[in-house]
Amino acid sequence: MIKSAINLAQQFGDRLAACDYGKAWDLLSPELKREYSPQTLQTTVEEMISYGSGPIQRAIVMTEWQYPAMENDDVVWLYVALEGEDFGEAVTVIVQ
């Protein structure tokens, strides 16, 4: 299960790096799909990296990260680093 979760988190980060927000949105939970549209996801990511001079160049799932306490339905929390030429950001992927 953990390996599948890591693969899912990597796919999400890779789709963000490829600016494929529709396919990244497809990986969200039903609850998050109601909260975010693909356009809202795009706007959120673009605002997050706007201080940088270019796009996300790569996404890396960090497996050696200090995770916060999980909720009862959580299987795993994964931290996905999003790197650009002159910035570093991240998203947290929670698999339930």
Side-chain angles (χ1 to χ4, degrees):
M1 178 61 172
I2 300 300
K3 186 172 182 170
S4 295
I6 291 169
N7 289 336
L8 176 71
Q10 187 65 57
Q11 284 180 11
F12 185 71
D14 288 343
R15 289 174 180 184
L16 293 179
C19 299
D20 195 343
Y21 300 103
K23 286 188 178 177
W25 181 85
D26 286 342
L27 297 174
L28 296 179
S29 69
E31 296 82 8
L32 286 174
K33 284 181 178 178
R34 286 190 291 276
E35 184 177 340
Y36 291 90
S37 67
Q39 180 61 44
T40 305
L41 179 61
Q42 178 179 351
T43 300
T44 301
V45 172
E46 288 175 351
E47 287 175 359
M48 183 173 68
I49 65 169
S50 65
Y51 66 92
S53 61
I56 299 168
Q57 294 177 338
R58 67 182 184 153
I60 305 166
V61 176
M62 309 300 287
T63 56
E64 302 295 324
W65 183 58
Q66 185 71 6
Y67 301 101
M70 293 192 292
E71 295 184 19
N72 292 336
D73 293 342
D74 298 346
V75 174
V76 65
W77 285 46
L78 295 164
Y79 182 88
V80 183
L82 304 171
E83 298 179 350
E85 183 175 331
D86 57 356
F87 69 86
E89 288 293 340
V91 294
T92 301
V93 175
I94 303 168
V95 178
Q96 294 183 328

